[in-house]
Amino acid sequence: MDSREQVEPPVVWAVVDSGIGPLLLAASRGGLVNVVFHAADAVRDRAVERLASRLGTEPVEAPGSPLLAEAIRQFEAYFAGERRDFDLPLDWSLISGFNRAVLRELASGVPYGQVVGYGDLAGRVGRPGAAQAVGMAMGANPLPVVVPCHRVVESDGGIGGFGGGLETKRRLLALEGVLPEPLF
């Protein structure tokens, strides 16, 4: 074990400003483990409690942590329009099974500025007809924005649902050039 591992807490978090409001970013030694939208006060506190319960360790607020530094830099660049892809180690420990398979396919197979239908994504993971299950996987995504669930839409052209709210989804899609910028 090197000296950094001796002093670095197992899970760290910070709240960062973004083009869509405050985001909580949490990381473990394995990588970015959670991104939470609208992370002001009560939402932030519930997210930290939920992480402690699910990971079995108390997350520590540490905005200057080396575990978070690159994630923070890449999020800032993404929201400034200077970055299209995230290149971060990801800790997938908060998700498993079908949901993990769907999210990994989404992360690797749907690039910036493109969208995919729920049914199409189900087919890509070998489960045609499982569009509703894909929707559930999107709702369980612990790593939104990095694992771009905002890029999953309805086959009839509808925007679909979104855990961060439809306005947040519209703003992310507008940032990526899929939708026009809102007028107000």
Side-chain angles (χ1 to χ4, degrees):
M1 184 182 310
D2 69 26
S3 61
R4 185 191 65 168
E5 288 179 323
Q6 292 174 7
V7 297
E8 190 73 43
V11 180
V12 294
W13 64 272
V15 174
V16 297
D17 289 325
S18 75
I20 55 171
L23 295 174
L24 180 138
L25 305 181
S28 70
R29 292 184 186 121
L32 189 67
V33 71
N34 202 201
V35 176
V36 178
F37 294 113
H38 315 297
D41 304 332
V43 170
R44 176 202 62 223
D45 295 346
R46 279 193 308 275
V48 171
E49 288 173 17
R50 193 170 45 252
L51 276 171
S53 172
R54 299 216 33 221
L55 297 174
T57 187
E58 190 65 38
V60 174
E61 183 176 14
S65 169
L67 295 176
L68 287 169
E70 184 60 16
I72 290 170
R73 188 186 73 68
Q74 288 189 29
F75 269 85
E76 288 171 348
Y78 173 81
F79 284 106
E82 300 165 357
R83 181 173 200 90
R84 292 174 162 239
D85 301 305
F86 290 91
D87 184 19
L88 298 168
L90 301 178
D91 176 341
W92 293 92
S93 62
L94 294 177
I95 196 112
S96 62
F98 175 78
N99 290 354
R100 184 186 289 190
V102 169
L103 293 173
R104 283 183 178 264
E105 173 59 31
L106 174 63
S108 65
V110 183
Y112 182 97
Q114 294 186 20
V115 294
V116 64
Y118 293 94
D120 292 336
L121 192 52
R124 289 184 186 192
V125 296
R127 296 270 310 270
Q132 192 170 19
V134 166
M136 298 299 287
M138 295 305 104
N141 182 2
L143 295 162
V145 183
V146 175
V147 178
C149 51
H150 60 278
R151 296 180 190 154
V152 183
V153 297
E154 296 173 349
S155 60
D156 66 2
I159 195 168
F162 193 62
L166 292 182
E167 181 57 29
T168 299
K169 185 171 187 172
R170 283 185 191 97
R171 292 178 72 189
L172 288 166
L173 291 172
L175 174 70
E176 295 188 7
V178 175
L179 293 176
E181 287 288 340
L183 296 175
F184 47 89

